[in-house]
């Protein structure tokens, strides 16, 4: 149980129990008014009626205040608990391995921390209060009913017990139906997220109809699942109401017919009818509460499924965690194998030694293991066998804060947040100022580019940096890395072609950024490999060649073949550019 629930639940339970017991005062007061103030031996006694009525009114007001207090306290407690759960789920998702994020649709994980927790919030704000008060109210009402007539109480109880097997049968189907609803909601969110993020591609290729059909099918599946879950609630609710009404009618008929044999007078019978009506309210709510509870339980299990997903990249204990040295960091990769959860090895027997302050280019065909190798250097995943040593320390023993401070990876998509250029650069280091962001731009020689933007450093970049080109997003990402000032910089170059001016700015920025630190670049450009101190050539998950650009070209191996392909593509591009009119 969360700390929020442990602190707040006793108070809520006490207030709820008081409110539940307080509701029994009204039927008792009605019986006293009838027996002692209206039809008693002394006839009508207005003084008694007024006193008892005022007392009943006071009791009702106190019960209403207690109920309001319990409800407000419950909502606060529930929101605090769910806030903690949402944060824990969000943090856990960010600690999961790349394999989990790759295998899971983005919308599914988003649903776990949004719609699923919202389903639990709805339950906590109403269903939890119902489960707190109603059982006590039912038991207390039955106890008072027994005081008036155990025979009539037994009659009412037996009629209600007959519906319990049916309710259990419905409950099993409700929980399965609501589990399907949570799956369908996550599926719909995944399709919607994918459709929105790929809007430009959808319009460019005329996929609007096909994508709309796929999204419509996802929405229709969610609708069908929700209707399937709703039909059980719609089936249960009238059944419970019918049984409660039959029980009330049976008690009333039996009480009137055999009042003398049962030893219950007119006032007692009226009070008993009030008590049966009071009993009907929580019982009639069972159908709706059950539906609400099953939805919350289904959502709870989905969220718990995320929290129970093992974290494969386990951080060291704080007492055992080690720091990384300052300055450029050397890298030793020793006998590393790596495979994702399903499939063959992606890296096989990788042995690499990178000196501090070196500028290294990693090249290879698509699928050769370049990006996976770069991710291991940033500890976005751990090797299956072998070890990655940075600055003389096994990465698995490095304190997470030290790793994030000293090792930075710039992904090829240059992900940016929906903020200004300045804000995105300042994300590079906690506490970075506007002056730090401006200094990073100047140090990388990007001032002319920034000054050419509509609002300079305050230019909004849009969602995921959509207002900037691929190359411009990389420029901002490089400036962000400059602010971070890591000892090891890992750069996964963008595969998309950029205009010559941006290409030149990128080359100059990367040259400035490499000064004073170790740089490992997953190279997709000929110029990056040509100026590197060391080139690592990957093929089918292995480092098949390593050396300088000049030596590898002369060797006539895999790199020489890649180099010829690069040169050919570059010449073809240059010819096409010259052939364009104007």
């Amino acid at each position: 149980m969360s700390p929020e629930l442990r602190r707040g639940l006793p108070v809520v339970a006490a207030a709820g129990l008081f409110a539940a017991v307080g509701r029994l005062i009204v039927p008792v007061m009605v019986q006293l008014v009838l027996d002692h103030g209206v039809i008693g031996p002394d006839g009508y006694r207005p003084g008694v009626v007024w006193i008892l009525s005022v007392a009943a009114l006071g009791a009702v007001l106190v019960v209403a205040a207690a109920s309001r207090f319990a409800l407000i306290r419950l909502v606060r407690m529930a929101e605090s608990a769910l806030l903690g759960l949402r944060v824990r789920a969000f943090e856990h998702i960010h600690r999961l391995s790349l394999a989990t994020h790759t295998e899971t649709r983005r919308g599914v994980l988003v649903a776990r921390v949004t719609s699923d927790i919202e389903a639990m919030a709805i339950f906590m704000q109403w269903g939890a209060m119902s489960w707190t008060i109603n059982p006590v109210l039912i038991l207390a009402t039955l106890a008072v009913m027994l005081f008036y007539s155990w025979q009539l109480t037994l009659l009412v109880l037996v009629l209600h017990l007959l519906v319990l097997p049916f309710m259990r049968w419905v409950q099993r189907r409700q929980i399965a139906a609501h589990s399907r609803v949570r799956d369908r909601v996550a599926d719909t969110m995944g399709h919607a997220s994918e459709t929105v993020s790929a809007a430009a591609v959808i319009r460019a290729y005329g996929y609007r109809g096909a994508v709309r059909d796929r999204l419509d099918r996802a929405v229709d599946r969610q609708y069908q699942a929700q209707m399937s879950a709703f039909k059980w609630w719609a089936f249960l609710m009238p059944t419970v109401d019918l049984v409660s009404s039959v029980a009330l009618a049976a008690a009333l008929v039996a009480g009137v017919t055999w009042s003398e044999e049962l030893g219950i007078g007119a006032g007692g019978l009226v009070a008993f009818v009030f008590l049966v009506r009071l009993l009907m309210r929580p019982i009639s709510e069972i159908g709706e509460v059950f539906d609400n509870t099953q939805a919350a339980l289904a959502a709870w299990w989905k969220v718990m499924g995320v929290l129970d997903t093992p974290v494969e990249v386990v951080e060291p204990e704080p007492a055992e965690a080690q720091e990384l040295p300052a300055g450029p960091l050397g890298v030793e990769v020793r006998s590393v194998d790596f495979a994702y959860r399903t499939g063959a090895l992606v890296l096989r027997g990788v042995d690499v030694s990178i000196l501090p302050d070196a500028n290294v280019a990693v090249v290879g065909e698509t699928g050769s293991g370049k990006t996976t190798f770069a991710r291991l250097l940033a500890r976005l995943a751990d090797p299956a066998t072998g070890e990655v040593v940075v600055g003389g320390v096994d990465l698995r023993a490095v304190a997470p804060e030290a790793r994030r401070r000293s090792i930075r990876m710039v992904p090829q998509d240059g992900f940016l947040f929906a903020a200004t250029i300045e804000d995105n650069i300042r994300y590079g280091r906690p506490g970075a100022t506007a002056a730090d962001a401006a200094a990073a731009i100047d140090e990388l020689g990007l001032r002319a580019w920034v000054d050419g933007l509509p609002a300079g450093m305050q230019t909004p970049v849009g969602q995921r940096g959509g207002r900037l080109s691929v190359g411009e997003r990389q420029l901002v990402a490089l400036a962000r890395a400059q602010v971070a000032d890591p000892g090891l910089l890992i750069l996964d170059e963008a595969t998309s072609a950029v205009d010559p001016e941006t290409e030149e700015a990128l080359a100059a920025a990367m040259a400035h950024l490499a000064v004073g630190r170790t740089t490992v670049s997953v190279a997709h450009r000929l110029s990056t490999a040509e100026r590197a101190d060391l080139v690592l050539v990957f093929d089918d998950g292995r480092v098949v060649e390593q050396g300088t650009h000049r030596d590898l070209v002369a060797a006539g191996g895999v790199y020489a073949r890649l180099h010829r392909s690069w040169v050919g593509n570059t010449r073809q591009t240059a010819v096409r550019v010259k052939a364009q009119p104007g």
Side-chain angles (χ1 to χ4, degrees):
M1 183 181 292
S2 68
E4 297 87 353
L5 290 178
R6 280 198 299 269
R7 289 193 300 268
L9 195 57
V11 177
V12 173
L17 296 180
F18 175 78
V21 175
R23 293 178 186 178
L24 299 174
I25 294 176
V26 173
V28 175
M29 287 295 185
V30 169
Q31 184 257 326
L32 292 176
V33 167
L34 289 175
D35 286 349
H36 299 283
V38 178
I39 57 175
D42 299 328
Y44 177 62
R45 301 169 62 190
V48 173
V49 172
W50 274 103
I51 292 173
L52 293 176
S53 298
V54 170
L57 176 62
V60 168
L61 293 176
V62 171
V63 168
S67 298
R68 182 176 183 275
F69 170 80
L71 181 59
I72 293 175
R73 186 63 183 264
L74 177 65
V75 170
R76 288 178 178 172
M77 177 189 70
E79 289 300 325
S80 297
L82 293 175
L83 172 63
L85 179 61
R86 196 190 302 269
V87 171
R88 286 194 292 273
F90 184 80
E91 290 178 344
H92 189 80
I93 286 172
H94 276 264
R95 293 171 58 205
L96 295 177
S97 68
L98 285 174
T100 301
H101 285 274
T102 301
E103 295 170 4
T104 307
R105 291 178 66 93
R106 184 187 307 158
V108 172
L109 296 178
V110 172
R112 297 294 89 93
V113 296
T114 54
S115 63
D116 286 344
I117 292 183
E118 287 302 319
M120 287 188 278
I122 294 172
F123 166 76
M124 292 295 290
Q125 293 171 5
W126 179 73
M129 191 66 174
S130 181
W131 283 117
T132 301
I133 293 178
N134 286 347
V136 177
L137 181 59
I138 290 173
L139 292 176
T141 303
L142 288 173
V144 178
M145 288 168 61
L146 285 170
F147 172 78
Y148 282 106
S149 173
W150 68 266
Q151 298 95 331
L152 293 180
T153 303
L154 183 62
L155 174 63
V156 172
L157 190 59
V158 168
L159 289 174
H160 279 100
L161 289 177
L162 292 176
V163 82
L164 286 182
F166 170 75
M167 292 174 61
R168 179 61 179 165
W169 179 76
V170 170
Q171 181 193 23
R172 288 195 296 268
R173 282 149 183 81
Q174 272 187 313
I175 189 64
H178 280 291
S179 180
R180 288 192 293 271
V181 169
R182 303 323 310 167
D183 288 336
R184 294 293 178 256
V185 169
D187 188 50
T188 300
M189 293 186 70
H191 282 291
S193 175
E194 185 178 67
T195 301
V196 171
S197 61
V201 176
I202 292 170
R203 286 197 297 267
Y205 287 88
Y207 288 157
R208 185 175 301 175
V211 171
R212 174 65 181 270
D213 290 342
R214 189 171 64 168
L215 183 59
D216 285 347
R217 287 194 296 271
V219 172
D220 185 63
R221 287 193 296 269
Q222 179 182 336
Y223 169 78
Q224 295 297 335
Q226 288 175 324
M227 291 303 296
S228 176
F230 178 78
K231 75 178 182 181
W232 295 111
W233 173 78
F235 192 25
L236 180 62
M237 193 78 171
T239 303
V240 174
D241 286 342
L242 176 63
V243 171
S244 296
S245 299
V246 169
L248 176 63
L252 185 59
V253 170
V256 171
T257 305
W258 297 291
S259 60
E260 293 185 5
E261 290 84 349
L262 296 174
I264 186 170
L269 183 58
V270 171
F272 192 88
V273 170
F274 267 89
L275 289 169
V276 174
R277 292 287 299 173
L278 190 62
L279 184 68
M280 287 173 60
R281 178 180 174 183
I283 292 178
S284 65
E285 286 181 359
I286 287 178
E288 190 170 355
V289 172
F290 258 41
D291 186 73
N292 188 268
T293 304
Q294 304 308 332
L297 284 174
W300 170 265
W301 287 331
K302 296 297 181 183
V303 176
M304 289 300 103
V306 171
L307 292 176
D308 289 340
T309 303
V311 177
E312 296 175 359
V313 179
V314 181
E315 301 293 358
E317 293 295 329
E320 301 174 357
Q322 301 182 43
E323 296 291 322
L324 288 171
L329 299 172
V331 178
E332 293 283 341
V333 179
R334 301 167 182 166
S335 304
V336 163
D337 291 344
F338 180 81
Y340 291 101
R341 288 177 182 169
T342 57
L345 288 174
V346 180
L347 297 178
R348 300 176 176 85
V350 176
D351 285 284
V352 170
S353 179
I354 300 174
L355 297 176
D357 206 22
N359 183 7
V360 179
V362 181
V363 302
E365 298 283 359
T366 300
S368 61
K370 307 184 301 296
T371 299
T372 300
F373 173 76
R375 288 171 174 173
L376 292 183
L377 298 186
R379 211 193 171 203
L380 297 180
D382 282 335
T385 61
E387 59 183 359
V388 178
V389 178
V390 176
V393 184
D394 190 324
L395 266 185
R396 287 170 290 202
V398 176
E401 288 301 322
R403 185 181 69 248
R404 287 189 280 267
R405 184 172 57 248
S406 300
I407 303 174
R408 289 298 174 96
M409 182 175 182
V410 180
Q412 64 178 223
D413 62 353
F415 181 90
L416 301 181
F417 297 95
T420 65
I421 287 178
E422 179 185 291
D423 291 335
N424 273 279
I425 295 174
R426 291 172 61 185
Y427 282 138
R429 187 183 74 245
T433 64
D436 295 327
I441 289 293
D442 292 333
E443 289 164 1
L444 297 184
L446 300 177
R447 177 55 58 187
W449 169 70
V450 170
D451 290 343
L453 296 173
M457 293 285 281
Q458 302 306 316
T459 300
V461 302
Q463 194 76 25
R464 301 176 66 89
R467 294 186 180 181
L468 303 180
S469 69
V470 173
E472 288 174 329
R473 290 200 295 270
Q474 279 262 313
L475 292 177
V476 178
L478 292 176
R480 184 164 58 198
Q482 177 71 11
V483 167
D485 192 24
L488 172 61
L489 175 66
I490 305 157
L491 174 64
D492 194 357
E493 289 185 340
T495 56
S496 303
V498 297
D499 60 87
E501 185 177 349
T502 305
E503 172 81 33
E504 184 178 346
L506 277 171
M510 285 190 288
H512 285 96
L513 188 60
V515 175
R517 59 178 56 90
T518 306
T519 306
V520 178
S521 302
V522 178
H524 300 290
R525 296 182 179 87
L526 176 61
S527 58
T528 303
E530 287 178 337
R531 66 171 178 265
D533 302 323
L534 175 67
V535 178
L536 302 177
V537 185
F538 276 76
D539 186 47
D540 194 26
R542 293 184 173 88
V543 178
V544 294
E545 294 177 344
Q546 54 181 304
T548 65
H549 163 74
R550 185 184 301 274
D551 292 341
L552 292 177
V553 170
V558 175
Y559 180 78
R561 187 179 71 249
L562 287 172
H563 182 260
R564 287 194 298 270
S565 175
W566 274 341
V567 171
N569 290 336
T570 303
R571 287 174 178 170
Q572 290 176 10
T573 302
V575 169
R576 286 196 298 269
V577 171
K578 289 180 180 180
Q580 290 178 356

